[in-house]
Amino acid sequence: MKKIVLVFVVLISTTVLFAQDGVLKDNYKAHADGWLVDLNEAYKISKKTGKPILANFTGTDWCGWCIKLKAEVFDKPEFKKWAEKNVVLIEIDFPRKKQLPEEIKQQNAGLQQAFQVTGYPTIWVFNLDKDAQTNQYKIEALGKTGYVAGGPANFTKGIDDMIKKGAN
């Protein structure tokens, strides 16, 4: 049986989306330790380590299921230990009560469109390649999920399955 891999191309140039040298103007940070907010940074780490990226499309200040997933899975030491070994974490936030830096808003909107995210939380696992001439990303999607009950072990089992299928 042949494996099917979804491939998306982010059409917005990364030079428009990010501050120079990957430094975000407002020092915006993710809502949990170990999570990134800059796709360029996640890409560099992913390429260096060979780990796929796990993107959490979330509404940190309004989405009940997102808050529940963070508390039940992402904030747990078991998940943090697993993630450190297996994935590069990036938070793609769509808050309602606070403003994001403009480059992060643009980045997140582009990723939301590329991955066709319509509900939260949506978790995508993927690999990235970057075209040096066009500065565009090519996204190799490995799989997606949402809220998964049962704590870190249940959640990470599903992600491990996605990663294994992508490696075949």
Short mmCIF file of all heavy atoms in Angstrom, two decimals, residues 41-76:
data_model
loop_
_atom_site.label_atom_id
_atom_site.label_comp_id
_atom_site.label_asym_id
_atom_site.label_seq_id
_atom_site.Cartn_x
_atom_site.Cartn_y
_atom_site.Cartn_z
N GLU A 41 12.11 30.06 13.15
CA GLU A 41 12.87 29.44 14.23
C GLU A 41 12.56 27.95 14.33
O GLU A 41 13.46 27.12 14.47
CB GLU A 41 12.57 30.15 15.56
CG GLU A 41 13.44 29.70 16.69
CD GLU A 41 13.18 30.46 17.98
OE1 GLU A 41 12.43 31.45 17.98
OE2 GLU A 41 13.72 30.03 19.01
N ALA A 42 11.27 27.60 14.24
CA ALA A 42 10.88 26.19 14.29
C ALA A 42 11.50 25.43 13.12
O ALA A 42 11.98 24.30 13.28
CB ALA A 42 9.36 26.07 14.26
N TYR A 43 11.51 26.03 11.94
CA TYR A 43 12.10 25.41 10.76
C TYR A 43 13.59 25.12 10.97
O TYR A 43 14.07 24.03 10.69
CB TYR A 43 11.89 26.31 9.54
CG TYR A 43 12.71 25.92 8.34
CD1 TYR A 43 12.39 24.79 7.58
CD2 TYR A 43 13.82 26.67 7.97
CE1 TYR A 43 13.15 24.43 6.49
CE2 TYR A 43 14.59 26.31 6.87
CZ TYR A 43 14.25 25.19 6.13
OH TYR A 43 15.00 24.83 5.05
N LYS A 44 14.31 26.12 11.48
CA LYS A 44 15.76 25.96 11.70
C LYS A 44 16.03 24.82 12.68
O LYS A 44 16.92 23.99 12.45
CB LYS A 44 16.37 27.26 12.22
CG LYS A 44 16.48 28.33 11.17
CD LYS A 44 16.98 29.63 11.77
CE LYS A 44 16.90 30.76 10.76
NZ LYS A 44 17.23 32.06 11.35
N ILE A 45 15.28 24.76 13.76
CA ILE A 45 15.48 23.70 14.75
C ILE A 45 15.10 22.34 14.17
O ILE A 45 15.78 21.35 14.38
CB ILE A 45 14.71 24.01 16.04
CG1 ILE A 45 15.29 25.26 16.71
CG2 ILE A 45 14.73 22.83 17.00
CD1 ILE A 45 14.46 25.82 17.84
N SER A 46 14.00 22.31 13.43
CA SER A 46 13.56 21.07 12.80
C SER A 46 14.62 20.53 11.84
O SER A 46 14.92 19.33 11.84
CB SER A 46 12.24 21.30 12.07
OG SER A 46 11.83 20.15 11.38
N LYS A 47 15.18 21.41 11.02
CA LYS A 47 16.22 20.99 10.07
C LYS A 47 17.47 20.51 10.80
O LYS A 47 18.09 19.52 10.40
CB LYS A 47 16.59 22.14 9.12
CG LYS A 47 15.59 22.31 8.01
CD LYS A 47 15.55 21.05 7.18
CE LYS A 47 14.54 21.12 6.09
NZ LYS A 47 14.23 19.81 5.54
N LYS A 48 17.83 21.20 11.86
CA LYS A 48 19.04 20.86 12.62
C LYS A 48 18.89 19.52 13.34
O LYS A 48 19.83 18.72 13.39
CB LYS A 48 19.32 21.98 13.63
CG LYS A 48 20.57 21.81 14.44
CD LYS A 48 20.76 23.03 15.33
CE LYS A 48 21.83 22.81 16.36
NZ LYS A 48 21.98 23.96 17.24
N THR A 49 17.70 19.25 13.88
CA THR A 49 17.48 18.05 14.70
C THR A 49 16.86 16.89 13.95
O THR A 49 16.87 15.76 14.43
CB THR A 49 16.57 18.39 15.90
OG1 THR A 49 15.28 18.80 15.40
CG2 THR A 49 17.16 19.46 16.78
N GLY A 50 16.23 17.16 12.79
CA GLY A 50 15.52 16.12 12.06
C GLY A 50 14.14 15.80 12.64
O GLY A 50 13.50 14.84 12.22
N LYS A 51 13.68 16.61 13.59
CA LYS A 51 12.37 16.38 14.21
C LYS A 51 11.28 17.10 13.43
O LYS A 51 11.48 18.21 12.95
CB LYS A 51 12.36 16.91 15.64
CG LYS A 51 13.34 16.26 16.57
CD LYS A 51 13.31 16.96 17.93
CE LYS A 51 14.45 16.52 18.82
NZ LYS A 51 14.49 17.33 20.06
N PRO A 52 10.09 16.49 13.35
CA PRO A 52 8.96 17.20 12.73
C PRO A 52 8.46 18.31 13.65
O PRO A 52 8.78 18.34 14.84
CB PRO A 52 7.91 16.11 12.56
CG PRO A 52 8.22 15.12 13.63
CD PRO A 52 9.72 15.16 13.80
N ILE A 53 7.66 19.18 13.10
CA ILE A 53 7.06 20.28 13.85
C ILE A 53 5.65 19.88 14.27
O ILE A 53 4.90 19.32 13.48
CB ILE A 53 7.03 21.56 13.00
CG1 ILE A 53 8.46 21.99 12.67
CG2 ILE A 53 6.26 22.68 13.70
CD1 ILE A 53 8.56 23.10 11.64
N LEU A 54 5.32 20.17 15.52
CA LEU A 54 3.97 19.99 16.03
C LEU A 54 3.40 21.38 16.27
O LEU A 54 3.92 22.13 17.10
CB LEU A 54 3.98 19.19 17.34
CG LEU A 54 2.61 18.84 17.93
CD1 LEU A 54 2.69 17.51 18.68
CD2 LEU A 54 2.10 19.92 18.86
N ALA A 55 2.38 21.74 15.50
CA ALA A 55 1.77 23.07 15.59
C ALA A 55 0.44 22.98 16.30
O ALA A 55 -0.43 22.19 15.90
CB ALA A 55 1.59 23.67 14.19
N ASN A 56 0.28 23.80 17.33
CA ASN A 56 -0.97 23.89 18.07
C ASN A 56 -1.71 25.15 17.63
O ASN A 56 -1.34 26.26 18.01
CB ASN A 56 -0.67 23.94 19.58
CG ASN A 56 -1.92 24.11 20.42
OD1 ASN A 56 -3.02 23.77 19.99
ND2 ASN A 56 -1.75 24.62 21.62
N PHE A 57 -2.76 24.98 16.80
CA PHE A 57 -3.63 26.08 16.41
C PHE A 57 -4.64 26.25 17.54
O PHE A 57 -5.44 25.34 17.80
CB PHE A 57 -4.33 25.76 15.09
CG PHE A 57 -3.40 25.76 13.90
CD1 PHE A 57 -2.62 24.65 13.62
CD2 PHE A 57 -3.31 26.87 13.08
CE1 PHE A 57 -1.76 24.64 12.53
CE2 PHE A 57 -2.45 26.86 11.99
CZ PHE A 57 -1.68 25.75 11.70
N THR A 58 -4.59 27.38 18.21
CA THR A 58 -5.30 27.54 19.47
C THR A 58 -5.88 28.94 19.65
O THR A 58 -5.46 29.88 18.98
CB THR A 58 -4.34 27.21 20.65
OG1 THR A 58 -5.03 27.28 21.87
CG2 THR A 58 -3.14 28.16 20.70
N GLY A 59 -6.79 29.05 20.56
CA GLY A 59 -7.30 30.32 21.04
C GLY A 59 -7.02 30.37 22.53
O GLY A 59 -7.87 29.94 23.33
N THR A 60 -5.84 30.80 22.91
CA THR A 60 -5.38 30.66 24.30
C THR A 60 -6.23 31.38 25.33
O THR A 60 -6.24 30.98 26.48
CB THR A 60 -3.92 31.14 24.45
OG1 THR A 60 -3.83 32.50 24.02
CG2 THR A 60 -2.97 30.25 23.68
N ASP A 61 -6.93 32.43 24.91
CA ASP A 61 -7.68 33.20 25.91
C ASP A 61 -9.20 33.07 25.79
O ASP A 61 -9.94 33.79 26.45
CB ASP A 61 -7.26 34.67 25.89
CG ASP A 61 -7.58 35.38 24.59
OD1 ASP A 61 -8.19 34.77 23.68
OD2 ASP A 61 -7.22 36.57 24.48
N TRP A 62 -9.67 32.14 24.97
CA TRP A 62 -11.12 32.00 24.83
C TRP A 62 -11.60 30.58 24.54
O TRP A 62 -12.76 30.25 24.79
CB TRP A 62 -11.64 32.92 23.72
CG TRP A 62 -11.08 32.60 22.36
CD1 TRP A 62 -9.96 33.12 21.80
CD2 TRP A 62 -11.60 31.67 21.40
NE1 TRP A 62 -9.74 32.58 20.55
CE2 TRP A 62 -10.74 31.69 20.28
CE3 TRP A 62 -12.70 30.83 21.38
CZ2 TRP A 62 -10.95 30.90 19.16
CZ3 TRP A 62 -12.91 30.04 20.25
CH2 TRP A 62 -12.04 30.09 19.16
N CYS A 63 -10.76 29.71 24.00
CA CYS A 63 -11.19 28.37 23.57
C CYS A 63 -11.11 27.38 24.73
O CYS A 63 -10.02 27.03 25.18
CB CYS A 63 -10.30 27.91 22.41
SG CYS A 63 -10.52 26.18 21.95
N GLY A 64 -12.25 26.94 25.20
CA GLY A 64 -12.31 26.02 26.33
C GLY A 64 -11.58 24.71 26.11
O GLY A 64 -10.87 24.23 26.99
N TRP A 65 -11.75 24.10 24.93
CA TRP A 65 -11.08 22.83 24.64
C TRP A 65 -9.57 23.02 24.52
O TRP A 65 -8.79 22.14 24.88
CB TRP A 65 -11.65 22.19 23.38
CG TRP A 65 -13.03 21.66 23.61
CD1 TRP A 65 -14.20 22.20 23.14
CD2 TRP A 65 -13.39 20.53 24.39
NE1 TRP A 65 -15.26 21.45 23.59
CE2 TRP A 65 -14.79 20.42 24.36
CE3 TRP A 65 -12.68 19.59 25.13
CZ2 TRP A 65 -15.49 19.41 25.01
CZ3 TRP A 65 -13.37 18.58 25.79
CH2 TRP A 65 -14.76 18.51 25.72
N CYS A 66 -9.15 24.18 24.03
CA CYS A 66 -7.71 24.49 23.94
C CYS A 66 -7.10 24.59 25.34
O CYS A 66 -6.01 24.05 25.59
CB CYS A 66 -7.49 25.81 23.21
SG CYS A 66 -8.14 25.85 21.52
N ILE A 67 -7.79 25.28 26.21
CA ILE A 67 -7.33 25.46 27.59
C ILE A 67 -7.28 24.11 28.30
O ILE A 67 -6.33 23.79 29.02
CB ILE A 67 -8.22 26.47 28.33
CG1 ILE A 67 -8.06 27.87 27.69
CG2 ILE A 67 -7.93 26.50 29.82
CD1 ILE A 67 -9.11 28.88 28.06
N LYS A 68 -8.28 23.28 28.04
CA LYS A 68 -8.34 21.93 28.63
C LYS A 68 -7.18 21.06 28.13
O LYS A 68 -6.53 20.37 28.90
CB LYS A 68 -9.69 21.31 28.28
CG LYS A 68 -10.01 19.99 28.97
CD LYS A 68 -11.45 19.59 28.64
CE LYS A 68 -11.82 18.26 29.20
NZ LYS A 68 -12.12 18.27 30.62
N LEU A 69 -6.90 21.10 26.82
CA LEU A 69 -5.80 20.33 26.24
C LEU A 69 -4.46 20.78 26.83
O LEU A 69 -3.61 19.95 27.17
CB LEU A 69 -5.78 20.47 24.71
CG LEU A 69 -4.69 19.71 23.98
CD1 LEU A 69 -4.80 18.20 24.20
CD2 LEU A 69 -4.76 20.02 22.48
N LYS A 70 -4.28 22.08 26.97
CA LYS A 70 -3.04 22.60 27.56
C LYS A 70 -2.88 22.08 28.98
O LYS A 70 -1.80 21.60 29.36
CB LYS A 70 -3.04 24.12 27.53
CG LYS A 70 -1.77 24.75 28.08
CD LYS A 70 -1.83 26.27 27.99
CE LYS A 70 -0.58 26.93 28.52
NZ LYS A 70 -0.34 26.77 29.95
N ALA A 71 -3.93 22.16 29.78
CA ALA A 71 -3.86 21.74 31.18
C ALA A 71 -3.67 20.23 31.31
O ALA A 71 -2.90 19.77 32.16
CB ALA A 71 -5.11 22.18 31.93
N GLU A 72 -4.37 19.45 30.49
CA GLU A 72 -4.34 17.99 30.62
C GLU A 72 -3.15 17.33 29.92
O GLU A 72 -2.79 16.21 30.26
CB GLU A 72 -5.63 17.39 30.06
CG GLU A 72 -6.84 17.69 30.88
CD GLU A 72 -8.12 17.08 30.31
OE1 GLU A 72 -8.04 16.30 29.33
OE2 GLU A 72 -9.20 17.40 30.84
N VAL A 73 -2.57 18.01 28.94
CA VAL A 73 -1.49 17.39 28.17
C VAL A 73 -0.25 18.28 28.14
O VAL A 73 0.81 17.91 28.65
CB VAL A 73 -1.94 17.06 26.72
CG1 VAL A 73 -0.79 16.50 25.90
CG2 VAL A 73 -3.10 16.07 26.74
N PHE A 74 -0.33 19.45 27.52
CA PHE A 74 0.85 20.25 27.23
C PHE A 74 1.60 20.74 28.47
O PHE A 74 2.81 20.94 28.42
CB PHE A 74 0.49 21.44 26.35
CG PHE A 74 -0.08 21.05 25.01
CD1 PHE A 74 -0.98 21.88 24.37
CD2 PHE A 74 0.26 19.86 24.39
CE1 PHE A 74 -1.51 21.56 23.13
CE2 PHE A 74 -0.27 19.51 23.15
CZ PHE A 74 -1.16 20.36 22.53
N ASP A 75 0.90 20.94 29.58
CA ASP A 75 1.55 21.41 30.81
C ASP A 75 2.14 20.29 31.65
O ASP A 75 2.79 20.55 32.66
CB ASP A 75 0.56 22.22 31.67
CG ASP A 75 0.25 23.58 31.09
OD1 ASP A 75 0.98 24.04 30.19
OD2 ASP A 75 -0.73 24.20 31.54
N LYS A 76 1.92 19.04 31.28
CA LYS A 76 2.36 17.89 32.07
C LYS A 76 3.83 17.56 31.78
O LYS A 76 4.27 17.59 30.63
CB LYS A 76 1.51 16.65 31.77
CG LYS A 76 0.04 16.84 32.07
CD LYS A 76 -0.20 17.01 33.55
CE LYS A 76 -1.70 17.10 33.82
NZ LYS A 76 -2.00 17.52 35.15
#
